Amino acid sequence: MVNDNLAHQIAETPECEIVIDKAPVKWCTVSLSEIIERGKRLEASVYDVEAKQAREIIADAKYPLTTLGGADGMTTSYTGARFKRIWVEKSDYPIYQPSTIMDIKPSPDGYISAVTDTDIDALRVSKGQVLMTCSGTIGKVSFVSDTIDNLIFSHDLLRINCKKPSDAGYVYAYLKSKVGNKILLTNSYGAVITHIEPEHLATVPIPDAPDALKLKIGNLVIQSYTLRDESNTLIDEATKLLIEELKLPAIDNFEVDCFKKDAPVETFNVKLSEMNYRLDASYHLPIVDAIVDHIKKYAAEVTSIRDKRISSAVILPGRFKRVYVEEGHGYALFGGKQIHTLDPSGKKYLSKSKHDERISKELLIEENTTLITRSGTIGKVALVPKHWANWIASEHIIRVVPASQDVAGYNYIFLLSDYGRVLIQRYTYGAVVDEIDNGHVSDIPIPLLKNHDVQKRINDLALEANKKRYEAYKLEQKALKIMDEEVIYAK
């Protein structure tokens, strides 16, 4: 009977070899009181190992701990009161969403009426504040510099004021660090926080470094944001030059050829010869023809993006199944939602070995290439700065590789403008998810200016702005490195 035992037979079968994965595992100790506090749950997912380790790291660090908020903490913070928004087409009150705080130059989500039942001025952010998303995707952090000073943001954004204004850059760098951000997003037991309230900051520990070290880190952050402001000023100057040279009116002031001007909806005629096999009305909007006709009148020539004087290639990578790896073992990957940020690299890294051929031919991006989002939100435009070179933009982003550095910045400025955005978005198709493709982008009209010196100036301003963004990135990374080496991990 014993010889017939199945367990005994399996144990003696030499072909059954157990291979133990020697890869490191995440682990931590959990006290009985913590288990009871978490409802006697024994699943590892209830206890964020990395968060507990992060708290242990700063507890063992060189400097004593204080708290981020609370009566004795370094900051005070608040959110706005909830209110019902009254949207209007245009007003003196553009409002911005919390998700845009990471953008180098945010765009408003819309406009609210002056009669909206809330204290609109209380929603404005102030220079020197640290901002944090507190719902949805929480824990994203930004710093208020000249670009967004006094702008109106929605209520669900945490405004953090430092009791000592000179600490603002230091607090920002701590919350941007991997350790600081991980602690922020979890409570003392490692459970993930789903919404951050001002009082939550009273439970977030932060090393109380010497004032000189805080100032050293803070100054780097402020310098980084100053360079971002300067880059935005250069972009605005280049756009203004383009508008002046082409004598372009505001996008809302174009005279368009409507079929019936007093109709409750926009109506217009389209010739059969101009249909281009497109039956969707958005493709034939009169504003498109108005813009093209106008730039033909004032430009030396109107060509298209596919012109070899403008681009050497317009690349749309094919779809593929992604193989992700850990940080440090692959290429940083980012998507269309992130292209307006200074540092779009997230927590995703593509395997070099699995995607080597596709990466080299389609996915790697080069400095001063213009990126255009092709699905979802169509027509977001970015110019690749130096630190993005050899990163990977997803297949949802079209690459316009410039014919030379003499037109790289000019291409970007025109496509970034209100007029370029209209010409991009007119190609949009799709019933559920909007799309455009590289053929559409290749067909986008682009003017060549009569005054070559002005075109060169526009190009140079854009490239100079891109260099400043690269320098801004380096300064922020330096601040984060000092925060790690001299504060968080210092012994």
Side-chain angles (χ1 to χ4, degrees), residues 407 410 447-449 451-460:
V407 294
Y410 178 75
L448 298 177
L449 304 184
N451 191 324
H452 299 294
D453 291 337
V454 171
Q455 183 168 314
K456 182 178 185 304
R457 177 63 177 158
I458 292 170
N459 185 74
D460 293 346

Side-chain angles (χ1 to χ4, degrees), residues 107-380:
S107 299
D109 185 57
Y111 297 83
I112 56 175
S113 170
V115 300
T116 301
D117 187 17
T118 190
D119 185 352
I120 294 178
D121 286 335
L123 297 171
R124 298 184 186 275
V125 298
S126 303
K127 189 173 180 178
Q129 284 182 326
V130 177
L131 304 180
M132 183 193 304
T133 54
C134 56
S135 62
T137 302
I138 64 173
K140 299 295 184 183
V141 182
S142 186
F143 184 82
V144 180
S145 60
D146 288 337
T147 295
I148 63 173
D149 181 31
N150 207 39
L151 295 186
I152 300 167
F153 280 81
S154 67
H155 69 279
D156 51 345
L157 179 69
L158 199 62
R159 286 88 163 160
I160 301 173
N161 294 312
C162 290
K163 295 176 181 177
K164 291 174 61 177
S166 58
D167 288 344
Y170 175 79
V171 168
Y172 167 86
Y174 177 70
L175 294 176
K176 286 277 288 188
S177 70
K178 291 182 179 178
V179 168
N181 199 255
K182 176 58 71 172
I183 292 173
L184 172 73
L185 300 180
T186 56
N187 64 20
S188 57
Y189 297 105
V192 176
I193 302 296
T194 56
H195 190 90
I196 295 178
E197 299 290 350
E199 54 267 25
H200 173 66
L201 299 188
T203 67
V204 177
I206 180 173
D208 192 9
D211 288 343
L213 184 52
K214 291 179 183 176
L215 199 59
K216 178 181 177 181
I217 294 171
N219 284 342
L220 288 170
V221 171
I222 292 171
Q223 291 171 34
S224 173
Y225 272 86
T226 298
L227 284 172
R228 300 178 215 201
D229 292 337
E230 292 174 359
S231 76
N232 291 335
T233 300
L234 293 176
I235 295 296
D236 289 341
E237 184 181 345
T239 303
K240 183 180 178 182
L241 282 174
L242 177 74
I243 292 171
E244 290 176 349
E245 183 65 20
L246 292 173
K247 297 180 173 55
L248 287 161
I251 197 74
D252 296 329
N253 294 339
F254 265 98
E255 289 291 334
V256 297
D257 185 18
C258 291
F259 176 68
K260 191 175 182 181
K261 294 186 180 297
D262 57 349
V265 295
E266 191 172 10
T267 60
F268 46 89
N269 288 322
V270 181
K271 295 179 181 179
L272 181 62
S273 59
E274 297 173 349
M275 292 295 288
N276 201 22
Y277 302 105
R278 294 289 295 262
L279 299 179
D280 39 335
S282 60
Y283 180 81
H284 301 284
L285 288 175
I287 183 64
V288 173
D289 292 333
I291 292 172
V292 174
D293 289 344
H294 184 95
I295 61 178
K296 281 181 178 179
K297 186 184 300 183
Y298 294 100
E301 177 186 353
V302 176
T303 182
S304 64
I305 296 295
R306 71 171 69 251
D307 191 322
K308 291 305 179 184
R309 295 171 293 174
I310 300 298
S311 68
S312 61
V314 180
I315 301 170
L316 171 59
R319 297 179 183 272
F320 64 99
K321 185 177 180 180
R322 301 173 186 173
V323 178
Y324 294 113
V325 294
E326 293 291 326
E327 182 179 0
H329 298 280
Y331 291 102
L333 172 72
F334 64 90
K337 290 182 179 180
Q338 301 164 294
I339 67 171
H340 283 167
T341 65
L342 184 69
D343 182 7
S345 61
K347 298 179 179 179
K348 294 182 178 179
Y349 302 88
L350 279 188
S351 168
K352 295 180 180 180
S353 60
K354 297 294 184 182
H355 302 299
D356 188 53
E357 184 176 354
R358 183 181 292 273
I359 285 170
S360 61
K361 290 182 178 180
E362 298 180 342
L363 296 175
L364 281 184
I365 53 177
E366 301 175 6
E367 184 180 1
N368 293 331
T369 294
T370 297
L371 306 181
I372 304 174
T373 53
R374 71 162 184 88
S375 61
T377 302
I378 303 291
K380 292 174 65 176

Side-chain angles (χ1 to χ4, degrees), residues 33-77:
S33 60
E34 289 176 314
I35 294 174
I36 294 172
E37 179 72 21
R38 301 305 302 161
K40 301 178 183 178
R41 301 282 295 277
L42 298 180
E43 307 98 303
S45 59
V46 176
Y47 311 94
D48 192 310
V49 175
E50 292 180 355
K52 291 175 66 65
Q53 291 175 342
R55 289 176 181 270
E56 291 170 4
I57 287 169
I58 64 165
D60 294 337
K62 182 177 182 178
Y63 300 111
L65 299 180
T66 182
T67 57
L68 197 59
D72 299 322
M74 293 178 63
T75 70
T76 60
S77 59

